[in-house]
PDB file of all heavy atoms in Angstrom:
ATOM      1  N   THR A   1       1.649 -24.556  -4.378  1.00  0.00           N
ATOM      2  CA  THR A   1       3.039 -24.023  -4.551  1.00  0.00           C
ATOM      3  C   THR A   1       3.047 -22.592  -4.877  1.00  0.00           C
ATOM      4  O   THR A   1       4.115 -21.986  -4.948  1.00  0.00           O
ATOM      5  CB  THR A   1       3.776 -24.804  -5.642  1.00  0.00           C
ATOM      6  OG1 THR A   1       3.045 -24.773  -6.814  1.00  0.00           O
ATOM      7  CG2 THR A   1       3.936 -26.203  -5.177  1.00  0.00           C
ATOM      8  N   TRP A   2       1.878 -21.934  -5.215  1.00  0.00           N
ATOM      9  CA  TRP A   2       1.820 -20.520  -5.575  1.00  0.00           C
ATOM     10  C   TRP A   2       1.620 -19.691  -4.339  1.00  0.00           C
ATOM     11  O   TRP A   2       0.893 -19.943  -3.467  1.00  0.00           O
ATOM     12  CB  TRP A   2       0.636 -20.351  -6.551  1.00  0.00           C
ATOM     13  CG  TRP A   2       0.956 -20.789  -7.978  1.00  0.00           C
ATOM     14  CD1 TRP A   2       1.523 -21.931  -8.334  1.00  0.00           C
ATOM     15  CD2 TRP A   2       0.491 -20.219  -9.155  1.00  0.00           C
ATOM     16  NE1 TRP A   2       1.557 -22.078  -9.661  1.00  0.00           N
ATOM     17  CE2 TRP A   2       0.947 -20.937 -10.242  1.00  0.00           C
ATOM     18  CE3 TRP A   2      -0.151 -18.986  -9.411  1.00  0.00           C
ATOM     19  CZ2 TRP A   2       0.755 -20.584 -11.577  1.00  0.00           C
ATOM     20  CZ3 TRP A   2      -0.347 -18.652 -10.767  1.00  0.00           C
ATOM     21  CH2 TRP A   2       0.065 -19.452 -11.878  1.00  0.00           C
ATOM     22  N   THR A   3       2.371 -18.583  -4.365  1.00  0.00           N
ATOM     23  CA  THR A   3       2.171 -17.548  -3.296  1.00  0.00           C
ATOM     24  C   THR A   3       1.048 -16.629  -3.604  1.00  0.00           C
ATOM     25  O   THR A   3       0.875 -16.176  -4.710  1.00  0.00           O
ATOM     26  CB  THR A   3       3.542 -16.737  -3.230  1.00  0.00           C
ATOM     27  OG1 THR A   3       4.619 -17.572  -2.974  1.00  0.00           O
ATOM     28  CG2 THR A   3       3.423 -15.735  -2.052  1.00  0.00           C
ATOM     29  N   PRO A   4       0.106 -16.439  -2.536  1.00  0.00           N
ATOM     30  CA  PRO A   4      -1.007 -15.600  -2.838  1.00  0.00           C
ATOM     31  C   PRO A   4      -0.575 -14.201  -3.268  1.00  0.00           C
ATOM     32  O   PRO A   4       0.428 -13.659  -2.841  1.00  0.00           O
ATOM     33  CB  PRO A   4      -1.699 -15.538  -1.447  1.00  0.00           C
ATOM     34  CG  PRO A   4      -1.209 -16.776  -0.776  1.00  0.00           C
ATOM     35  CD  PRO A   4       0.188 -17.020  -1.235  1.00  0.00           C
ATOM     36  N   GLU A   5      -1.338 -13.550  -4.244  1.00  0.00           N
ATOM     37  CA  GLU A   5      -1.086 -12.203  -4.701  1.00  0.00           C
ATOM     38  C   GLU A   5      -1.658 -11.239  -3.747  1.00  0.00           C
ATOM     39  O   GLU A   5      -1.242  -9.996  -3.772  1.00  0.00           O
ATOM     40  CB  GLU A   5      -1.675 -12.035  -6.074  1.00  0.00           C
ATOM     41  CG  GLU A   5      -0.949 -12.793  -7.146  1.00  0.00           C
ATOM     42  CD  GLU A   5      -1.507 -12.573  -8.508  1.00  0.00           C
ATOM     43  OE1 GLU A   5      -2.780 -12.460  -8.712  1.00  0.00           O
ATOM     44  OE2 GLU A   5      -0.663 -12.408  -9.469  1.00  0.00           O
ATOM     45  N   VAL A   6      -2.665 -11.549  -2.912  1.00  0.00           N
ATOM     46  CA  VAL A   6      -3.263 -10.695  -1.943  1.00  0.00           C
ATOM     47  C   VAL A   6      -3.393 -11.441  -0.617  1.00  0.00           C
ATOM     48  O   VAL A   6      -3.499 -12.656  -0.694  1.00  0.00           O
ATOM     49  CB  VAL A   6      -4.711 -10.164  -2.436  1.00  0.00           C
ATOM     50  CG1 VAL A   6      -4.486  -9.291  -3.612  1.00  0.00           C
ATOM     51  CG2 VAL A   6      -5.637 -11.290  -2.772  1.00  0.00           C
ATOM     52  N   GLU A   7      -3.486 -10.701   0.477  1.00  0.00           N
ATOM     53  CA  GLU A   7      -3.747 -11.251   1.757  1.00  0.00           C
ATOM     54  C   GLU A   7      -5.128 -10.981   2.131  1.00  0.00           C
ATOM     55  O   GLU A   7      -5.628  -9.859   2.131  1.00  0.00           O
ATOM     56  CB  GLU A   7      -2.821 -10.784   2.794  1.00  0.00           C
ATOM     57  CG  GLU A   7      -1.263 -11.154   2.509  1.00  0.00           C
ATOM     58  CD  GLU A   7      -0.350 -10.615   3.651  1.00  0.00           C
ATOM     59  OE1 GLU A   7      -0.891 -10.063   4.620  1.00  0.00           O
ATOM     60  OE2 GLU A   7       0.807 -10.872   3.496  1.00  0.00           O
ATOM     61  N   VAL A   8      -5.866 -11.980   2.576  1.00  0.00           N
ATOM     62  CA  VAL A   8      -7.267 -11.864   2.925  1.00  0.00           C
ATOM     63  C   VAL A   8      -7.428 -12.442   4.325  1.00  0.00           C
ATOM     64  O   VAL A   8      -7.089 -13.505   4.700  1.00  0.00           O
ATOM     65  CB  VAL A   8      -8.234 -12.664   1.967  1.00  0.00           C
ATOM     66  CG1 VAL A   8      -9.646 -12.509   2.435  1.00  0.00           C
ATOM     67  CG2 VAL A   8      -8.024 -12.225   0.597  1.00  0.00           C
ATOM     68  N   SER A   9      -8.043 -11.575   5.250  1.00  0.00           N
ATOM     69  CA  SER A   9      -8.306 -11.978   6.591  1.00  0.00           C
ATOM     70  C   SER A   9      -9.469 -13.019   6.617  1.00  0.00           C
ATOM     71  O   SER A   9     -10.541 -12.666   6.156  1.00  0.00           O
ATOM     72  CB  SER A   9      -8.651 -10.797   7.469  1.00  0.00           C
ATOM     73  OG  SER A   9      -7.507  -9.894   7.526  1.00  0.00           O
ATOM     74  N   GLU A  10      -9.293 -14.167   7.141  1.00  0.00           N
ATOM     75  CA  GLU A  10     -10.297 -15.138   7.218  1.00  0.00           C
ATOM     76  C   GLU A  10     -11.284 -14.878   8.329  1.00  0.00           C
ATOM     77  O   GLU A  10     -10.846 -14.320   9.391  1.00  0.00           O
ATOM     78  CB  GLU A  10      -9.714 -16.594   7.428  1.00  0.00           C
ATOM     79  CG  GLU A  10      -8.904 -17.044   6.179  1.00  0.00           C
ATOM     80  CD  GLU A  10      -9.777 -17.146   4.968  1.00  0.00           C
ATOM     81  OE1 GLU A  10     -10.919 -17.543   5.020  1.00  0.00           O
ATOM     82  OE2 GLU A  10      -9.218 -16.688   3.868  1.00  0.00           O
ATOM     83  N   PRO A  11     -12.579 -15.140   8.189  1.00  0.00           N
ATOM     84  CA  PRO A  11     -13.609 -14.899   9.206  1.00  0.00           C
ATOM     85  C   PRO A  11     -13.269 -15.590  10.488  1.00  0.00           C
ATOM     86  O   PRO A  11     -12.756 -16.699  10.498  1.00  0.00           O
ATOM     87  CB  PRO A  11     -14.884 -15.340   8.544  1.00  0.00           C
ATOM     88  CG  PRO A  11     -14.469 -16.325   7.529  1.00  0.00           C
ATOM     89  CD  PRO A  11     -13.174 -15.856   7.048  1.00  0.00           C
ATOM     90  N   SER A  12     -13.726 -14.976  11.638  1.00  0.00           N
ATOM     91  CA  SER A  12     -13.428 -15.528  12.920  1.00  0.00           C
ATOM     92  C   SER A  12     -14.639 -16.338  13.499  1.00  0.00           C
ATOM     93  O   SER A  12     -14.535 -17.067  14.473  1.00  0.00           O
ATOM     94  CB  SER A  12     -13.084 -14.422  13.931  1.00  0.00           C
ATOM     95  OG  SER A  12     -14.136 -13.502  13.956  1.00  0.00           O
ATOM     96  N   ASN A  13     -15.849 -16.242  12.822  1.00  0.00           N
ATOM     97  CA  ASN A  13     -16.969 -16.979  13.244  1.00  0.00           C
ATOM     98  C   ASN A  13     -17.838 -17.256  12.039  1.00  0.00           C
ATOM     99  O   ASN A  13     -17.659 -16.777  10.932  1.00  0.00           O
ATOM    100  CB  ASN A  13     -17.719 -16.242  14.336  1.00  0.00           C
ATOM    101  CG  ASN A  13     -18.173 -14.828  13.895  1.00  0.00           C
ATOM    102  OD1 ASN A  13     -18.933 -14.693  12.933  1.00  0.00           O
ATOM    103  ND2 ASN A  13     -17.546 -13.826  14.525  1.00  0.00           N
ATOM    104  N   TRP A  14     -18.885 -18.034  12.303  1.00  0.00           N
ATOM    105  CA  TRP A  14     -19.769 -18.480  11.191  1.00  0.00           C
ATOM    106  C   TRP A  14     -20.536 -17.334  10.573  1.00  0.00           C
ATOM    107  O   TRP A  14     -20.827 -17.367   9.329  1.00  0.00           O
ATOM    108  CB  TRP A  14     -20.713 -19.594  11.721  1.00  0.00           C
ATOM    109  CG  TRP A  14     -21.728 -19.060  12.734  1.00  0.00           C
ATOM    110  CD1 TRP A  14     -21.646 -19.066  14.106  1.00  0.00           C
ATOM    111  CD2 TRP A  14     -23.005 -18.534  12.330  1.00  0.00           C
ATOM    112  NE1 TRP A  14     -22.774 -18.416  14.612  1.00  0.00           N
ATOM    113  CE2 TRP A  14     -23.662 -18.122  13.630  1.00  0.00           C
ATOM    114  CE3 TRP A  14     -23.735 -18.249  11.192  1.00  0.00           C
ATOM    115  CZ2 TRP A  14     -24.965 -17.522  13.757  1.00  0.00           C
ATOM    116  CZ3 TRP A  14     -25.017 -17.651  11.241  1.00  0.00           C
ATOM    117  CH2 TRP A  14     -25.538 -17.253  12.535  1.00  0.00           C
ATOM    118  N   PHE A  15     -20.922 -16.363  11.395  1.00  0.00           N
ATOM    119  CA  PHE A  15     -21.744 -15.240  10.805  1.00  0.00           C
ATOM    120  C   PHE A  15     -20.864 -14.441   9.876  1.00  0.00           C
ATOM    121  O   PHE A  15     -21.347 -14.173   8.713  1.00  0.00           O
ATOM    122  CB  PHE A  15     -22.234 -14.386  11.965  1.00  0.00           C
ATOM    123  CG  PHE A  15     -23.119 -13.196  11.495  1.00  0.00           C
ATOM    124  CD1 PHE A  15     -24.386 -13.394  11.071  1.00  0.00           C
ATOM    125  CD2 PHE A  15     -22.590 -11.898  11.476  1.00  0.00           C
ATOM    126  CE1 PHE A  15     -25.122 -12.396  10.634  1.00  0.00           C
ATOM    127  CE2 PHE A  15     -23.359 -10.859  11.051  1.00  0.00           C
ATOM    128  CZ  PHE A  15     -24.609 -11.060  10.604  1.00  0.00           C
ATOM    129  N   THR A  16     -19.681 -14.020  10.218  1.00  0.00           N
ATOM    130  CA  THR A  16     -18.836 -13.273   9.365  1.00  0.00           C
ATOM    131  C   THR A  16     -18.411 -14.092   8.121  1.00  0.00           C
ATOM    132  O   THR A  16     -18.254 -13.615   7.110  1.00  0.00           O
ATOM    133  CB  THR A  16     -17.576 -12.645  10.074  1.00  0.00           C
ATOM    134  OG1 THR A  16     -16.986 -13.794  10.687  1.00  0.00           O
ATOM    135  CG2 THR A  16     -18.033 -11.682  11.061  1.00  0.00           C
ATOM    136  N   GLY A  17     -18.245 -15.428   8.382  1.00  0.00           N
ATOM    137  CA  GLY A  17     -18.009 -16.316   7.302  1.00  0.00           C
ATOM    138  C   GLY A  17     -19.097 -16.412   6.276  1.00  0.00           C
ATOM    139  O   GLY A  17     -18.808 -16.380   5.103  1.00  0.00           O
ATOM    140  N   GLY A  18     -20.333 -16.344   6.783  1.00  0.00           N
ATOM    141  CA  GLY A  18     -21.536 -16.397   5.853  1.00  0.00           C
ATOM    142  C   GLY A  18     -21.524 -15.077   5.016  1.00  0.00           C
ATOM    143  O   GLY A  18     -21.843 -15.053   3.885  1.00  0.00           O
ATOM    144  N   LEU A  19     -21.259 -13.943   5.680  1.00  0.00           N
ATOM    145  CA  LEU A  19     -21.226 -12.697   5.002  1.00  0.00           C
ATOM    146  C   LEU A  19     -20.207 -12.590   3.916  1.00  0.00           C
ATOM    147  O   LEU A  19     -20.365 -12.112   2.796  1.00  0.00           O
ATOM    148  CB  LEU A  19     -21.084 -11.551   6.032  1.00  0.00           C
ATOM    149  CG  LEU A  19     -22.278 -11.265   6.976  1.00  0.00           C
ATOM    150  CD1 LEU A  19     -21.908 -10.128   7.942  1.00  0.00           C
ATOM    151  CD2 LEU A  19     -23.545 -10.975   6.203  1.00  0.00           C
ATOM    152  N   LEU A  20     -19.020 -13.177   4.269  1.00  0.00           N
ATOM    153  CA  LEU A  20     -17.884 -13.174   3.342  1.00  0.00           C
ATOM    154  C   LEU A  20     -18.271 -14.109   2.145  1.00  0.00           C
ATOM    155  O   LEU A  20     -17.989 -13.733   1.014  1.00  0.00           O
ATOM    156  CB  LEU A  20     -16.599 -13.732   3.980  1.00  0.00           C
ATOM    157  CG  LEU A  20     -15.373 -13.760   3.080  1.00  0.00           C
ATOM    158  CD1 LEU A  20     -15.003 -12.398   2.587  1.00  0.00           C
ATOM    159  CD2 LEU A  20     -14.219 -14.426   3.891  1.00  0.00           C
ATOM    160  N   TRP A  21     -18.875 -15.228   2.365  1.00  0.00           N
ATOM    161  CA  TRP A  21     -19.287 -16.090   1.268  1.00  0.00           C
ATOM    162  C   TRP A  21     -20.324 -15.399   0.439  1.00  0.00           C
ATOM    163  O   TRP A  21     -20.176 -15.502  -0.854  1.00  0.00           O
ATOM    164  CB  TRP A  21     -19.882 -17.355   1.873  1.00  0.00           C
ATOM    165  CG  TRP A  21     -20.409 -18.403   0.867  1.00  0.00           C
ATOM    166  CD1 TRP A  21     -19.681 -19.356   0.264  1.00  0.00           C
ATOM    167  CD2 TRP A  21     -21.714 -18.400   0.279  1.00  0.00           C
ATOM    168  NE1 TRP A  21     -20.480 -20.033  -0.608  1.00  0.00           N
ATOM    169  CE2 TRP A  21     -21.701 -19.493  -0.669  1.00  0.00           C
ATOM    170  CE3 TRP A  21     -22.890 -17.709   0.400  1.00  0.00           C
ATOM    171  CZ2 TRP A  21     -22.781 -19.816  -1.429  1.00  0.00           C
ATOM    172  CZ3 TRP A  21     -23.994 -17.939  -0.363  1.00  0.00           C
ATOM    173  CH2 TRP A  21     -23.963 -19.055  -1.305  1.00  0.00           C
ATOM    174  N   LEU A  22     -21.224 -14.714   1.061  1.00  0.00           N
ATOM    175  CA  LEU A  22     -22.242 -14.027   0.197  1.00  0.00           C
ATOM    176  C   LEU A  22     -21.566 -12.905  -0.552  1.00  0.00           C
ATOM    177  O   LEU A  22     -21.866 -12.710  -1.774  1.00  0.00           O
ATOM    178  CB  LEU A  22     -23.344 -13.397   1.128  1.00  0.00           C
ATOM    179  CG  LEU A  22     -24.494 -12.733   0.419  1.00  0.00           C
ATOM    180  CD1 LEU A  22     -25.278 -13.694  -0.538  1.00  0.00           C
ATOM    181  CD2 LEU A  22     -25.429 -12.143   1.495  1.00  0.00           C
ATOM    182  N   GLY A  23     -20.620 -12.206   0.053  1.00  0.00           N
ATOM    183  CA  GLY A  23     -19.982 -11.080  -0.661  1.00  0.00           C
ATOM    184  C   GLY A  23     -19.166 -11.628  -1.807  1.00  0.00           C
ATOM    185  O   GLY A  23     -19.071 -10.984  -2.894  1.00  0.00           O
ATOM    186  N   ARG A  24     -18.591 -12.713  -1.670  1.00  0.00           N
ATOM    187  CA  ARG A  24     -17.757 -13.289  -2.798  1.00  0.00           C
ATOM    188  C   ARG A  24     -18.656 -13.816  -3.847  1.00  0.00           C
ATOM    189  O   ARG A  24     -18.338 -13.748  -5.064  1.00  0.00           O
ATOM    190  CB  ARG A  24     -16.929 -14.474  -2.263  1.00  0.00           C
ATOM    191  CG  ARG A  24     -15.680 -13.989  -1.510  1.00  0.00           C
ATOM    192  CD  ARG A  24     -14.899 -15.215  -0.817  1.00  0.00           C
ATOM    193  NE  ARG A  24     -13.668 -14.683  -0.109  1.00  0.00           N
ATOM    194  CZ  ARG A  24     -12.963 -15.405   0.741  1.00  0.00           C
ATOM    195  NH1 ARG A  24     -13.338 -16.627   0.958  1.00  0.00           N
ATOM    196  NH2 ARG A  24     -11.827 -14.893   1.262  1.00  0.00           N
ATOM    197  N   ALA A  25     -19.879 -14.300  -3.500  1.00  0.00           N
ATOM    198  CA  ALA A  25     -20.770 -14.821  -4.528  1.00  0.00           C
ATOM    199  C   ALA A  25     -21.267 -13.656  -5.467  1.00  0.00           C
ATOM    200  O   ALA A  25     -21.482 -13.916  -6.621  1.00  0.00           O
ATOM    201  CB  ALA A  25     -22.017 -15.519  -3.829  1.00  0.00           C
ATOM    202  N   VAL A  26     -21.422 -12.490  -4.874  1.00  0.00           N
ATOM    203  CA  VAL A  26     -21.884 -11.394  -5.757  1.00  0.00           C
ATOM    204  C   VAL A  26     -20.751 -10.410  -6.229  1.00  0.00           C
ATOM    205  O   VAL A  26     -20.984  -9.439  -6.816  1.00  0.00           O
ATOM    206  CB  VAL A  26     -22.995 -10.562  -4.938  1.00  0.00           C
ATOM    207  CG1 VAL A  26     -24.201 -11.375  -4.663  1.00  0.00           C
ATOM    208  CG2 VAL A  26     -22.422  -9.968  -3.681  1.00  0.00           C
ATOM    209  N   GLY A  27     -19.501 -10.760  -5.848  1.00  0.00           N
ATOM    210  CA  GLY A  27     -18.386 -10.113  -6.319  1.00  0.00           C
ATOM    211  C   GLY A  27     -18.092  -8.766  -5.668  1.00  0.00           C
ATOM    212  O   GLY A  27     -17.425  -7.917  -6.190  1.00  0.00           O
ATOM    213  N   VAL A  28     -18.498  -8.589  -4.408  1.00  0.00           N
ATOM    214  CA  VAL A  28     -18.196  -7.335  -3.685  1.00  0.00           C
ATOM    215  C   VAL A  28     -17.158  -7.566  -2.579  1.00  0.00           C
ATOM    216  O   VAL A  28     -16.706  -6.550  -1.984  1.00  0.00           O
ATOM    217  CB  VAL A  28     -19.513  -6.722  -3.044  1.00  0.00           C
ATOM    218  CG1 VAL A  28     -20.497  -6.383  -4.120  1.00  0.00           C
ATOM    219  CG2 VAL A  28     -20.097  -7.716  -2.024  1.00  0.00           C
ATOM    220  N   ALA A  29     -16.715  -8.778  -2.381  1.00  0.00           N
ATOM    221  CA  ALA A  29     -15.754  -9.095  -1.388  1.00  0.00           C
ATOM    222  C   ALA A  29     -14.515  -9.632  -2.053  1.00  0.00           C
ATOM    223  O   ALA A  29     -14.556 -10.320  -3.126  1.00  0.00           O
ATOM    224  CB  ALA A  29     -16.227 -10.010  -0.342  1.00  0.00           C
ATOM    225  N   PRO A  30     -13.286  -9.417  -1.494  1.00  0.00           N
ATOM    226  CA  PRO A  30     -12.075 -10.013  -2.077  1.00  0.00           C
ATOM    227  C   PRO A  30     -12.224 -11.527  -2.184  1.00  0.00           C
ATOM    228  O   PRO A  30     -12.736 -12.189  -1.343  1.00  0.00           O
ATOM    229  CB  PRO A  30     -10.982  -9.560  -1.108  1.00  0.00           C
ATOM    230  CG  PRO A  30     -11.550  -8.385  -0.359  1.00  0.00           C
ATOM    231  CD  PRO A  30     -12.987  -8.552  -0.289  1.00  0.00           C
ATOM    232  N   PRO A  31     -11.635 -12.071  -3.198  1.00  0.00           N
ATOM    233  CA  PRO A  31     -11.725 -13.532  -3.344  1.00  0.00           C
ATOM    234  C   PRO A  31     -10.760 -14.223  -2.392  1.00  0.00           C
ATOM    235  O   PRO A  31     -10.027 -13.591  -1.582  1.00  0.00           O
ATOM    236  CB  PRO A  31     -11.192 -13.778  -4.790  1.00  0.00           C
ATOM    237  CG  PRO A  31     -10.339 -12.659  -5.035  1.00  0.00           C
ATOM    238  CD  PRO A  31     -10.923 -11.416  -4.328  1.00  0.00           C
ATOM    239  N   SER A  32     -10.840 -15.527  -2.310  1.00  0.00           N
ATOM    240  CA  SER A  32      -9.938 -16.297  -1.465  1.00  0.00           C
ATOM    241  C   SER A  32      -8.493 -16.017  -1.950  1.00  0.00           C
ATOM    242  O   SER A  32      -8.199 -15.732  -3.125  1.00  0.00           O
ATOM    243  CB  SER A  32     -10.249 -17.789  -1.547  1.00  0.00           C
ATOM    244  OG  SER A  32      -9.357 -18.541  -0.906  1.00  0.00           O
ATOM    245  N   GLU A  33      -7.560 -16.252  -1.009  1.00  0.00           N
ATOM    246  CA  GLU A  33      -6.108 -16.057  -1.314  1.00  0.00           C
ATOM    247  C   GLU A  33      -5.595 -16.962  -2.434  1.00  0.00           C
ATOM    248  O   GLU A  33      -4.683 -16.654  -3.159  1.00  0.00           O
ATOM    249  CB  GLU A  33      -5.232 -16.255  -0.107  1.00  0.00           C
ATOM    250  CG  GLU A  33      -5.377 -15.110   0.947  1.00  0.00           C
ATOM    251  CD  GLU A  33      -4.463 -15.346   2.095  1.00  0.00           C
ATOM    252  OE1 GLU A  33      -3.880 -16.461   2.277  1.00  0.00           O
ATOM    253  OE2 GLU A  33      -4.285 -14.331   2.914  1.00  0.00           O
ATOM    254  N   ASP A  34      -6.236 -18.093  -2.578  1.00  0.00           N
ATOM    255  CA  ASP A  34      -5.830 -18.994  -3.648  1.00  0.00           C
ATOM    256  C   ASP A  34      -6.596 -18.969  -4.965  1.00  0.00           C
ATOM    257  O   ASP A  34      -6.537 -19.811  -5.810  1.00  0.00           O
ATOM    258  CB  ASP A  34      -5.822 -20.476  -3.109  1.00  0.00           C
ATOM    259  CG  ASP A  34      -7.154 -20.921  -2.618  1.00  0.00           C
ATOM    260  OD1 ASP A  34      -8.084 -20.130  -2.641  1.00  0.00           O
ATOM    261  OD2 ASP A  34      -7.258 -22.098  -2.194  1.00  0.00           O
ATOM    262  N   ASP A  35      -7.444 -17.908  -5.033  1.00  0.00           N
ATOM    263  CA  ASP A  35      -8.051 -17.603  -6.283  1.00  0.00           C
ATOM    264  C   ASP A  35      -7.324 -16.634  -7.176  1.00  0.00           C
ATOM    265  O   ASP A  35      -6.857 -15.574  -6.677  1.00  0.00           O
ATOM    266  CB  ASP A  35      -9.489 -17.032  -6.098  1.00  0.00           C
ATOM    267  CG  ASP A  35     -10.491 -18.102  -5.559  1.00  0.00           C
ATOM    268  OD1 ASP A  35     -10.185 -19.312  -5.699  1.00  0.00           O
ATOM    269  OD2 ASP A  35     -11.484 -17.756  -4.994  1.00  0.00           O
ATOM    270  N   TYR A  36      -7.125 -16.942  -8.427  1.00  0.00           N
ATOM    271  CA  TYR A  36      -6.304 -16.053  -9.368  1.00  0.00           C
ATOM    272  C   TYR A  36      -7.057 -15.829 -10.704  1.00  0.00           C
ATOM    273  O   TYR A  36      -7.960 -16.720 -11.028  1.00  0.00           O
ATOM    274  CB  TYR A  36      -4.959 -16.788  -9.700  1.00  0.00           C
ATOM    275  CG  TYR A  36      -4.061 -17.075  -8.541  1.00  0.00           C
ATOM    276  CD1 TYR A  36      -4.262 -18.160  -7.684  1.00  0.00           C
ATOM    277  CD2 TYR A  36      -3.014 -16.221  -8.158  1.00  0.00           C
ATOM    278  CE1 TYR A  36      -3.483 -18.444  -6.562  1.00  0.00           C
ATOM    279  CE2 TYR A  36      -2.184 -16.485  -7.155  1.00  0.00           C
ATOM    280  CZ  TYR A  36      -2.418 -17.643  -6.242  1.00  0.00           C
ATOM    281  OH  TYR A  36      -1.605 -17.864  -5.259  1.00  0.00           O
ATOM    282  N   VAL A  37      -6.748 -14.811 -11.369  1.00  0.00           N
ATOM    283  CA  VAL A  37      -7.265 -14.608 -12.713  1.00  0.00           C
ATOM    284  C   VAL A  37      -6.068 -14.329 -13.648  1.00  0.00           C
ATOM    285  O   VAL A  37      -5.194 -13.432 -13.365  1.00  0.00           O
ATOM    286  CB  VAL A  37      -8.272 -13.446 -12.730  1.00  0.00           C
ATOM    287  CG1 VAL A  37      -7.657 -12.156 -12.120  1.00  0.00           C
ATOM    288  CG2 VAL A  37      -8.821 -13.224 -14.108  1.00  0.00           C
ATOM    289  N   LYS A  38      -5.973 -15.152 -14.731  1.00  0.00           N
ATOM    290  CA  LYS A  38      -4.839 -15.033 -15.666  1.00  0.00           C
ATOM    291  C   LYS A  38      -5.336 -15.355 -17.071  1.00  0.00           C
ATOM    292  O   LYS A  38      -6.500 -15.755 -17.199  1.00  0.00           O
ATOM    293  CB  LYS A  38      -3.697 -15.982 -15.321  1.00  0.00           C
ATOM    294  CG  LYS A  38      -3.112 -15.817 -13.901  1.00  0.00           C
ATOM    295  CD  LYS A  38      -2.380 -14.546 -13.658  1.00  0.00           C
ATOM    296  CE  LYS A  38      -1.883 -14.559 -12.240  1.00  0.00           C
ATOM    297  NZ  LYS A  38      -1.313 -13.116 -11.974  1.00  0.00           N
ATOM    298  N   ARG A  39      -4.492 -15.292 -18.017  1.00  0.00           N
ATOM    299  CA  ARG A  39      -4.844 -15.672 -19.389  1.00  0.00           C
ATOM    300  C   ARG A  39      -4.155 -16.888 -19.852  1.00  0.00           C
ATOM    301  O   ARG A  39      -2.975 -17.140 -19.505  1.00  0.00           O
ATOM    302  CB  ARG A  39      -4.479 -14.461 -20.427  1.00  0.00           C
ATOM    303  CG  ARG A  39      -5.115 -14.686 -21.806  1.00  0.00           C
ATOM    304  CD  ARG A  39      -4.712 -13.603 -22.742  1.00  0.00           C
ATOM    305  NE  ARG A  39      -5.153 -12.282 -22.348  1.00  0.00           N
ATOM    306  CZ  ARG A  39      -6.301 -11.750 -22.681  1.00  0.00           C
ATOM    307  NH1 ARG A  39      -7.119 -12.430 -23.400  1.00  0.00           N
ATOM    308  NH2 ARG A  39      -6.638 -10.524 -22.325  1.00  0.00           N
ATOM    309  N   VAL A  40      -4.930 -17.781 -20.443  1.00  0.00           N
ATOM    310  CA  VAL A  40      -4.334 -19.040 -20.913  1.00  0.00           C
ATOM    311  C   VAL A  40      -3.431 -18.764 -22.172  1.00  0.00           C
ATOM    312  O   VAL A  40      -3.860 -18.090 -23.111  1.00  0.00           O
ATOM    313  CB  VAL A  40      -5.421 -20.050 -21.358  1.00  0.00           C
ATOM    314  CG1 VAL A  40      -4.842 -21.318 -21.970  1.00  0.00           C
ATOM    315  CG2 VAL A  40      -6.329 -20.371 -20.151  1.00  0.00           C
ATOM    316  N   ILE A  41      -2.181 -19.307 -21.986  1.00  0.00           N
ATOM    317  CA  ILE A  41      -1.161 -19.000 -23.132  1.00  0.00           C
ATOM    318  C   ILE A  41      -0.959 -20.317 -23.871  1.00  0.00           C
ATOM    319  O   ILE A  41      -0.838 -20.338 -25.104  1.00  0.00           O
ATOM    320  CB  ILE A  41       0.073 -18.573 -22.545  1.00  0.00           C
ATOM    321  CG1 ILE A  41      -0.138 -17.166 -21.747  1.00  0.00           C
ATOM    322  CG2 ILE A  41       1.196 -18.403 -23.616  1.00  0.00           C
ATOM    323  CD1 ILE A  41      -0.664 -16.094 -22.667  1.00  0.00           C
ATOM    324  N   ALA A  42      -0.857 -21.496 -23.128  1.00  0.00           N
ATOM    325  CA  ALA A  42      -0.617 -22.743 -23.757  1.00  0.00           C
ATOM    326  C   ALA A  42      -1.397 -23.815 -23.020  1.00  0.00           C
ATOM    327  O   ALA A  42      -1.614 -23.760 -21.858  1.00  0.00           O
ATOM    328  CB  ALA A  42       0.878 -23.068 -23.841  1.00  0.00           C
TER     329      ALA A  42
END
């Protein structure tokens, strides 16, 4: 039900998908659209 805060182009093939996965694993690529970072309040 949450609207993504950023728009991320999804990979068109397995090779670019693998590179995106690796980039996300080491923190150099944008996260998935449904990944968020917030602070717990309650």
